Amino acid sequence: MHLNNHMDFSYVADIYVGNNPPQKIRALFDTGSANTWILNKKVKAHDLHFAYNDKTSTTAVQTAQKAYISFGSGSLSGHFYLDDFRIGGCEFCQSTSQILIKSQKFGNVEKEDSIFRENFDAIVGLAYPNFAEKGITPVFDNM
């Protein structure tokens, strides 16, 4: 996996979500949160952003669970989804191996305010599971 280091302030890498085909998303790895949130195509912040389209993934399942989260820089909200999640490998490096997590639960960002203004389309929470929303297992705890 190739991580882009942005002035030792943030780390961004490509992940892939869904199937037929997996959708490329640029993820910010965040040590201050435990949930994963992915920008939905309907609320794409800029044309430069990638976004998750639950309608094109054959494995997407919307859950009834939803949440509103406030960060220091803004807020977001949406339903939680289950879908396949891939991390690792990259388009331009020698490694092609990826870790596949079947039916990872993540937040599908349906509304956002001032979060996705930079070079990422998702937030992958790296914090401990007890900081996650009820019923959510963080990505790295599912690996």
Side-chain angles (χ1 to χ4, degrees):
M1 177 168 84
H2 177 78
L3 277 174
N4 292 309
N5 177 349
H6 298 277
M7 301 185 316
D8 290 332
F9 179 72
S10 64
Y11 295 88
V12 176
D14 294 340
I15 60 172
Y16 297 84
V17 182
N19 286 295
N20 294 333
Q23 301 170 45
K24 178 180 175 178
I25 305 288
R26 290 174 300 199
L28 170 76
F29 291 85
D30 179 23
T31 58
S33 65
N35 299 313
T36 292
W37 289 93
I38 301 174
L39 188 63
N40 185 280
K41 183 179 190 243
K42 295 175 194 164
V43 293
K44 188 164 73 165
H46 298 291
D47 287 338
L48 298 175
H49 281 259
F50 295 96
Y52 175 69
N53 186 347
D54 55 303
K55 303 296 184 218
T56 62
S57 176
T58 58
T59 49
V61 177
Q62 181 178 348
T63 71
Q65 184 178 2
K66 55 186 173 180
Y68 169 86
I69 306 290
S70 182
F71 294 92
S73 59
S75 62
L76 55 81
S77 64
H79 284 87
F80 284 91
Y81 272 67
L82 298 167
D83 209 340
D84 293 350
F85 189 96
R86 293 167 179 82
I87 189 167
C90 65
E91 294 173 338
F92 57 88
C93 63
Q94 299 299 323
S95 173
T96 58
S97 61
Q98 292 182 326
I99 296 170
L100 169 62
I101 304 170
K102 296 288 238 177
S103 298
Q104 172 66 41
K105 198 173 196 181
F106 62 89
N108 185 29
V109 178
E110 296 160 350
K111 292 182 182 176
E112 67 96 21
D113 178 36
S114 302
I115 299 291
F116 297 97
R117 299 290 181 250
E118 297 296 325
N119 61 336
F120 61 93
D121 321 298
I123 299 167
V124 177
L126 302 176
Y128 293 112
N130 56 324
F131 292 112
E133 293 290 315
K134 184 177 179 169
I136 307 296
T137 301
V139 167
F140 285 97
D141 289 271
N142 271 337
M143 292 173 114

